[in-house]
């Protein structure tokens, strides 16, 4: 998750657990997937991301496969269509 405020202003206790996965044999909380903006390099401006939010499709190998606006349900479905089997009517 990328927050719009500076990283030092993020209240880590308010970050949803889905962005703080438990990892390893000791199930430690991984906080390295929570990001904020940098003073001189705002990721939203640098990447042209909407501050309203975006959908980022990330492959298992961490490659960013697509970035879409939150309203792009049809585009998201079209992106995944070749990867998902067609459902047969029952």
């Amino acid at each position: 998750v990328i927050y719009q405020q500076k990283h030092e202003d993020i209240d880590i206790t308010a970050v949803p657990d889905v962005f703080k996965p438990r990892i390893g044999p000791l199930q430690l909380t991984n906080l390295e997937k929570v990001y904020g903006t940098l003073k001189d390099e705002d990721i939203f401006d640098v990447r042209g991301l909407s501050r309203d939010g975006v959908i980022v499709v990330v492959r298992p190998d961490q490659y960013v496969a697509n970035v879409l606006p939150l309203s792009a349900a049809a585009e998201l479905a079209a992106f995944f269509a070749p990867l998902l089997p067609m459902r047969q009517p029952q």
Side-chain angles (χ1 to χ4, degrees):
V1 65
I2 303 173
Y3 285 96
Q4 295 184 36
Q5 64 262 35
K6 292 183 283 184
H7 68 277
E8 61 264 16
D9 294 336
I10 297 171
D11 177 4
I12 200 69
T13 62
V15 174
D17 288 341
V18 69
F19 300 116
K20 301 182 295 184
R22 300 220 174 250
I23 59 170
L26 299 176
Q27 292 295 291
L28 300 175
T29 303
N30 181 358
L31 302 176
E32 295 185 17
K33 300 297 181 191
V34 179
Y35 300 94
T37 61
L38 298 174
K39 179 181 177 187
D40 297 324
E41 189 178 347
D42 185 327
I43 190 69
F44 291 89
D45 294 336
V46 171
R47 302 287 183 180
L49 303 175
S50 169
R51 291 190 182 275
D52 293 333
V54 295
I55 300 167
V56 180
V57 180
V58 182
R59 296 186 333 199
D61 64 357
Q62 302 300 301
Y63 176 81
V64 175
N66 208 340
V67 179
L68 300 163
L70 291 177
S71 61
E75 291 92 336
L76 186 62
F79 178 84
F80 281 107
L83 306 173
L84 301 173
M86 294 294 294
R87 286 185 148 180
Q88 299 296 327
Q90 296 190 20

